[in-house]
């Protein structure tokens, strides 16, 4: 039981980060219909922005985080304007491949600028482990988790209650109707990419503070797919819940199944679940069911 | 549109190589390919063999993605299944290579069907994600099913032998690879002149219209998936005889992406484009490497920039082609041909 609780607790922690990554992903999908394969690399760049702010520019953590978020927002808008807009309305394969191409560029650029080495984040949080009942969480898991949770809440609130958030939801619902009501769709597209990039940057920083950063950090971005398919591609709430469920599931699978199959099941289990979901309920828990009309 | 292009017989209308000029050029190409290994050095031969394997694999992906419109992010693992099947056939069963290569294709075909049946119930983005899971899951199977795949150590494969001659050098394997490549290119070229191939194209262009015209969507999608995986498996099997060893890390997601890049840069839905794409995408990194080596005397640490630069160039090529040249090298080649068709009587 003790083990079980511990595994669930670690799962919740990593799940909070998945949830945050997935939110950035869903924001883009909802607004522009693009599956962003560069999510992981946007995370990695955001983490490096923050890292550079703290080490080279000697900013305090909060200021570096803010600077990283601003940098990511600018990058997101730039990417949308330069790369995604010319491909608006093109075939799925083109849009998928262009984000894959972007991820390759980002990875190369990060290696060029920061080298391929692995770096540890400067210490930010108090060191003492946090005790919640019988479960002990290392401080390097607990505090980043709090940041992830706060970021999730912030973004959900932005989406729900601000004027811009409403415009984004309207555009997601029906671009044409939104356009005729005077919403500047192009601005919304560009804002969604900025918002998604900021989300990605935040999650990158959270992961970076937990386990250090390197240009390979982006590989974790693949984990976003099981999460968003479980939650539903176009549901923010689904991304949140899916993130936590996947985090827990992955930890439990790692704990209980790894000894049976010889390792690595933690990486694969989410994808097995993904296939199962695609077979029974492809639109996920809370996603909109796609109906084709002629 | 060419002027004076009259077809007087059905045979002329159905010919694959339609004009005398094309036939001459194809003959010249064939002759060059035959002479090439006798004059080329080891390095060029190695590259040529690699390109040959990539052509087979990429043709398979283009049949699925370019002609049938179904996205696959897991092509590499089907290549892997073919490689493992051929390697096991060659080592444990002691089969000759001319049985191992079809065996690799068949194994990949079975794997493709098993994965295709659930995946093809969904389409577009969802299919991309389903095939991505296939990639992750099979990659894991390769490295964890020790009793069959040899785990991370992999399987060593003896060279192919043909009537006593061991195909143990790049020079000898060249002929094996290009015989297979030529046969599969010919098959692919013909496939789209048949009922099945036309059905694939109809599904790509508008799946619902295709269904209304009586094309059984699911059946033809599965068929396309099977053909595509068969190609991938054959590519993998041929590759085994070229590399002599098969381990799990040969089939990462980045290889799947490499195949997609070949298909996109070459031209979706073009056999010729696939070949051009495979050549282009294999040679560009090599040229970059040569370039970096050339500037090494002036920038001593140039080599440390090679890998990042390669990533950037790879991404930039994909993005650039998608935005500026969405029909790929095949379309550029057609433009060049059109320009010279009436040269010099046109500006």
């Amino acid at each position: 039981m003790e083990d079980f609780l511990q595994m669930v607790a670690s799962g919740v922690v990593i799940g909070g980060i998945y949830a945050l990554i997935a939110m950035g992903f869903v924001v883009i999908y909802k607004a522009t219909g693009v599956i962003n394969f560069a999510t992981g690399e946007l995370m990695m760049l955001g983490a490096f922005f923050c890292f550079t702010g703290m080490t080279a520019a000697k900013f305090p953590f909060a200021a570096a985080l803010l600077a990283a978020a601003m940098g990511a927002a600018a990058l997101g808008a730039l990417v949308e304007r330069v790369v995604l807009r010319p491909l608006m309305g093109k075939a799925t394969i083109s849009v998928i491949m262009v984000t894959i191409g972007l991820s390759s560029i980002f990875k190369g650029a990060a290696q060029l600028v920061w080298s391929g080495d692995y770096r540890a984040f400067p210490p930010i949080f108090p060191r003492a482990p946090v005790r919640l009942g019988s479960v002990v969480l290392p401080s390097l898991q607990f505090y980043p988790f709090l940041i992830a949770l706060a970021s999730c809440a912030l973004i959900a609130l932005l989406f729900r209650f601000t004027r811009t958030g409403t415009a984004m939801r309207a555009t997601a619902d029906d671009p044409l109707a939104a356009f005729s009501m005077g919403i500047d769709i192009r601005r919304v597209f560009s804002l969604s990419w900025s918002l998604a990039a900021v989300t990605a940057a935040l999650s990158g920083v959270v992961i970076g503070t937990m386990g250090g950063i390197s240009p390979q950090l982006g590989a974790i971005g693949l984990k976003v797919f099981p999460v968003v398919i479980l939650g539903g591609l176009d549901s923010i709430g689904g991304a949140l819940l899916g993130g936590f469920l996947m985090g827990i599931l992955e930890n439990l699978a790692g704990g209980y199944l790894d000894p049976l199959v010889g390792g690595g099941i933690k990486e694969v289990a989410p994808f097995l679940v993904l296939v199962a979901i695609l077979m029974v309920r492809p639109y996920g828990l809370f996603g909109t069911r796609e109906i084709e009309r002629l | 549109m060419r002027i004076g292009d009259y077809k007087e017989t059905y045979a002329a209308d159905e010919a694959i190589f339609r004009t005398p000029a094309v036939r001459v050029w194809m003959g010249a190409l064939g002759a060059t390919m035959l002479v090439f290994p006798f004059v080329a050095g080891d390095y060029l031969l190695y590259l040529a063999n690699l390109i040959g394997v990539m052509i087979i694999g990429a043709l398979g992906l283009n049949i699925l993605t370019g002609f049938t419109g179904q996205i696959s992010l897991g092509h590499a693992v089907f290549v892997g299944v073919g490689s493992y099947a051929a390697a096991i056939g060659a080592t444990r069963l002691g089969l000759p290579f001319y049985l191992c290569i079809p065996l690799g294709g068949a194994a990949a075909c079975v794997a493709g069907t098993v994965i295709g049946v659930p995946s093809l119930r969904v389409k577009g983005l969802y299919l991309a994600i389903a095939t991505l899971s296939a990639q992750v899951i099979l990659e894991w199977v390769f490295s964890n099913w020790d009793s069959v795949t040899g785990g991370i150590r992999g399987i060593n494969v003896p060279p192919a032998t043909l009537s006593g001659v061991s195909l143990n050098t790049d020079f000898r394997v060249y002929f094996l690879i290009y015989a297979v490549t030529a046969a599969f290119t010919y098959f692919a070229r013909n496939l789209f002149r048949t009922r099945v191939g036309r059905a694939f194209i109809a599904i790509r262009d508008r799946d619902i219209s295709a269904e209304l015209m009586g094309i059984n969507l699911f059946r033809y999608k599965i068929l396309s998936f099977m053909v595509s995986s068969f190609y991938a498996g054959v590519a993998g099997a041929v590759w085994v005889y070229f590399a002599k060893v098969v381990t799990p890390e040969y089939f990462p997601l980045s290889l799947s992406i490499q195949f997609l890049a070949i298909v996109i840069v070459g031209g979706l839905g073009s056999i010729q484009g696939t070949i051009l794409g495979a050549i282009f995408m294999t040679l560009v990194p090599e040229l970059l490497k040569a370039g970096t080596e050339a500037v090494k005397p002036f920038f001593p640490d140039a080599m440390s920039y090679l890998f990042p630069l390669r990533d950037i160039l790879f991404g930039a090529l994909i993005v650039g082609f998608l935005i500026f040249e969405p029909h790929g090298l095949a379309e550029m080649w057609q433009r060049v041909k059109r320009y010279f068709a009436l040269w010099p009587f046109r500006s």
Side-chain angles (χ1 to χ4, degrees):
Chain A
M1 197 59 198
E2 201 87 316
D3 282 352
F4 177 78
L5 279 181
Q6 189 74 45
M7 273 186 235
V8 170
S10 311
V12 169
V13 168
I14 191 80
I17 294 162
Y18 288 166
L20 185 56
I21 306 175
M23 280 176 105
F25 187 90
V26 170
V27 166
I28 290 186
Y29 180 76
K30 226 171 139 68
T32 65
V34 170
I35 289 267
N36 180 16
F37 272 83
T39 309
E41 275 67 24
L42 282 174
M43 277 168 57
M44 178 266 294
L45 284 181
F48 267 112
F49 288 166
C50 183
F51 175 81
T52 312
M54 289 182 76
T55 52
K58 301 268 183 280
F59 284 167
F61 178 62
L65 192 64
L66 192 68
M70 278 157 56
L75 181 69
L78 182 76
V79 161
E80 194 277 335
R81 182 64 195 88
V82 176
V83 178
L84 270 306
R85 200 169 299 170
L87 290 175
M88 212 188 273
K90 290 281 170 60
T92 313
I93 170 105
S94 309
V95 178
I96 288 183
M97 277 310 283
V98 89
T99 59
I100 290 179
L102 274 176
S103 74
S104 183
I105 296 177
F106 289 159
K107 200 160 91 186
Q111 278 178 33
L112 216 53
V113 178
W114 289 285
S115 88
D117 299 339
Y118 184 84
R119 325 266 182 104
F121 244 76
I124 302 159
F125 309 111
R127 281 172 154 267
V130 180
R131 192 173 278 281
L132 300 169
S134 65
V135 176
V136 182
L137 283 175
S139 75
L140 273 185
Q141 286 193 354
F142 181 73
Y143 295 103
F145 172 70
L146 287 188
I147 300 184
L149 216 56
S151 312
C152 282
L154 187 69
I155 285 155
L157 292 178
L158 271 181
F159 223 60
R160 186 79 188 79
F161 292 111
T162 63
R163 202 179 156 79
T164 317
T166 313
M168 282 179 172
R169 281 185 292 130
T171 312
D173 199 40
D174 187 341
L176 213 59
F179 194 58
S180 61
M181 298 307 285
I183 293 172
D184 185 348
I185 294 204
R186 275 172 298 189
R187 197 173 137 262
V188 167
F189 282 3
S190 134
L191 272 176
S192 331
W193 268 88
S194 286
L195 183 58
V198 170
T199 319
L202 288 173
S203 51
V205 171
V206 168
I207 290 191
T209 52
M210 283 169 77
I213 53 176
S214 82
Q216 310 304 326
L217 187 69
I220 202 170
L222 279 187
K223 282 283 179 61
V224 78
F225 291 104
V227 173
V228 291
I229 289 290
L230 175 63
L233 269 178
D234 56 354
S235 157
I236 299 265
L240 259 177
L241 186 67
F244 285 110
L245 284 178
M246 255 333 150
I248 296 169
L249 176 117
E250 164 186 300
N251 256 304
L252 290 180
Y256 290 113
L257 296 180
D258 250 359
L260 302 178
V261 292
I265 194 80
K266 205 170 166 179
E267 306 302 315
V268 187
F271 286 91
L272 290 167
V273 175
L274 193 169
V275 174
I277 298 162
L278 279 183
M279 283 165 73
V280 278
R281 203 181 157 93
Y283 40 92
L285 293 177
F286 303 108
T288 317
R289 186 170 199 158
E290 259 179 67
I291 300 167
E292 264 183 287
R293 291 198 180 83
L294 293 176
Chain B
M1 195 67 188
R2 207 185 291 113
I3 303 166
D5 184 20
Y6 305 122
K7 306 277 190 326
E8 293 176 347
T9 59
Y10 284 115
D13 197 33
E14 287 172 351
I16 281 205
F17 306 123
R18 295 190 166 199
T19 59
V22 172
R23 264 166 255 154
V24 168
W25 281 114
M26 287 309 292
L29 177 67
T32 318
M33 304 275 298
L34 274 181
V35 175
F36 174 80
F38 294 96
V39 289
D42 284 346
Y43 177 61
L44 281 182
L45 265 174
Y46 163 81
L47 283 182
N49 288 346
L50 195 61
I51 290 172
V53 175
M54 293 309 271
I55 289 176
I56 307 173
L59 276 176
L61 187 61
N62 215 343
I63 290 172
L64 182 68
T65 304
F67 285 101
T68 323
Q70 310 299 312
I71 305 162
S72 172
L73 283 168
H75 203 60
V77 287
F78 297 116
V79 175
V81 170
S83 287
Y84 276 109
I88 290 164
T91 51
R92 295 208 193 155
L93 310 176
L95 296 175
F97 77 89
Y98 47 83
L99 289 179
C100 282
I101 291 175
L103 176 71
C109 190
V110 171
T113 316
V114 170
I115 284 160
V117 169
S119 303
L120 288 171
R121 291 180 58 230
V122 291
K123 61 184 194 182
L125 299 168
Y126 289 95
L127 179 64
I129 296 173
T131 49
L132 176 71
S133 340
Q135 165 82 34
V136 175
I137 294 168
L138 279 180
E139 229 184 294
W140 179 78
V141 170
F142 290 157
S143 46
N144 282 280
W145 197 10
D146 284 9
S147 57
V148 172
T149 62
I152 46 170
R153 274 169 294 107
I155 306 174
N156 287 304
V157 183
T161 45
L162 182 61
S163 56
V165 182
S166 172
L167 303 179
N168 54 1
T169 60
D170 281 357
F171 173 78
R172 290 175 181 172
V173 174
Y174 174 91
F175 294 99
L176 170 66
I177 290 178
Y178 276 91
V180 179
T181 309
F184 276 80
T185 311
Y186 189 73
F187 179 83
R189 183 77 180 76
N190 266 310
L191 178 64
F192 296 100
R193 295 143 56 89
T194 64
R195 181 190 171 85
V196 176
R198 296 290 159 90
F200 288 173
I201 295 175
I203 292 174
R204 173 194 65 190
D205 289 346
R206 192 80 177 96
D207 52 352
I208 294 173
S209 320
E211 196 167 20
L212 288 176
M213 290 196 304
I215 295 170
N216 184 336
L217 275 192
F218 187 70
R219 213 178 106 202
Y220 278 98
K221 278 186 185 173
I222 276 292
L223 197 58
S224 174
F225 218 84
M226 285 166 76
V227 175
S228 160
S229 335
F230 188 85
Y231 267 75
V234 167
V238 171
W239 187 80
V240 159
Y241 285 110
F242 166 45
K244 310 280 192 300
V245 64
V246 43
T247 67
E249 66 254 33
Y250 283 129
F251 315 105
L253 178 61
S254 57
L255 181 65
S256 291
I257 292 171
Q258 169 92 7
F259 278 123
L260 276 169
I262 288 176
V263 169
I264 294 224
V265 167
L268 283 165
S270 162
I271 303 286
Q272 188 189 30
T274 313
I275 298 171
L276 292 176
I279 298 172
F280 186 75
M281 292 309 276
T282 314
L283 289 187
V284 162
E286 296 300 323
L287 286 180
L288 184 67
K289 197 162 118 193
T292 345
E293 260 158 19
V295 299
K296 208 155 130 196
F298 313 106
F299 304 98
D301 53 350
M303 285 319 268
S304 63
Y305 294 125
L306 178 61
F307 285 105
L309 281 179
R310 206 160 70 179
D311 278 348
I312 294 177
L313 184 66
F314 180 73
L317 277 175
I318 297 176
V319 174
F321 265 92
L322 280 170
I323 294 178
F324 299 112
E325 205 56 71
H327 299 290
L329 290 169
E331 172 70 20
M332 291 169 86
W333 174 245
Q334 292 300 333
R335 268 210 306 273
V336 171
K337 259 184 19 187
R338 269 203 299 278
Y339 176 81
F340 281 106
L342 292 177
W343 190 87
F345 299 110
R346 196 172 74 172
S347 58

